[in-house]
């Protein structure tokens, strides 16, 4: 992960420079990682959240965490709030609505 995240972040910076827009990265299934009992998995999850905050602060990449279990999000909102500026919970939406949200 330590090797991959900088490559993704640098790609985001290059994309922004070329297209004058901040790219969006969707990470699906974070609820699976968040529910793990292994401290190493929990640390990985929190490292991803911290990395997302860093990318947001640098305005190089926007990270969207997708989870299918809103219970996990409710349990971990304090962790997210301490690391991120905006937390938005969205129920199931169709493709058209999703595209509109990504434009905003």
């Amino acid at each position: 992960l330590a090797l991959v995240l900088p490559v993704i972040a640098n790609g985001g910076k290059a994309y922004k420079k070329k297209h004058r827009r901040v790219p969006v990265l969707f990470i699906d299934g974070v609820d699976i990682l968040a529910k793990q009992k292994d401290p190493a998995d929990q640390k990985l999850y929190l490292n991803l959240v911290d990395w997302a905050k860093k990318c947001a602060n640098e305005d190089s990449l926007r990270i969207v965490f997708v989870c299918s279990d809103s219970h996990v999000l409710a349990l971990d909102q304090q962790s997210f709030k301490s690391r991120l500026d905006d937390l938005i919970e969205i129920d199931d939406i169709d493709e058209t609505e999703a595209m509109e949200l990504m434009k905003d």
Side-chain angles (χ1 to χ4, degrees):
L1 191 63
L3 298 174
V4 174
L5 296 183
V7 172
I8 294 171
N10 287 337
K13 290 175 185 175
Y15 180 92
K16 182 181 176 186
K17 184 177 180 180
K18 181 177 181 181
H19 299 284
R20 297 185 194 159
R21 294 185 74 165
V22 177
V24 179
L25 173 65
F26 289 84
I27 302 176
D28 197 4
V30 293
D31 52 317
I32 296 167
L33 189 57
K35 289 190 278 188
Q36 298 302 310
K37 301 295 183 203
D38 184 345
D41 290 331
Q42 293 173 350
K43 184 175 180 180
L44 173 64
Y45 170 69
L46 293 175
N47 285 343
L48 281 173
V49 174
D50 287 338
W51 176 69
K53 173 65 175 173
K54 181 181 178 206
C55 289
N57 287 342
E58 293 173 353
D59 201 31
S60 61
L61 191 61
R62 293 200 177 110
I63 315 292
V64 176
F65 292 102
V66 180
C67 63
S68 59
D69 185 354
S70 62
H71 182 67
V72 170
L73 184 60
L75 289 173
D76 201 35
Q77 266 191 351
Q78 199 57 40
S79 175
F80 273 108
K81 284 182 180 177
S82 68
R83 290 169 170 81
L84 303 177
D85 295 326
D86 297 319
L87 176 64
I88 302 170
E89 184 175 353
I90 302 171
D91 291 327
D92 289 337
I93 58 175
D94 63 35
E95 185 177 342
T96 304
E97 291 172 307
M99 294 304 291
E100 285 301 315
L101 282 171
M102 288 193 312
K103 290 179 186 176
D104 291 339

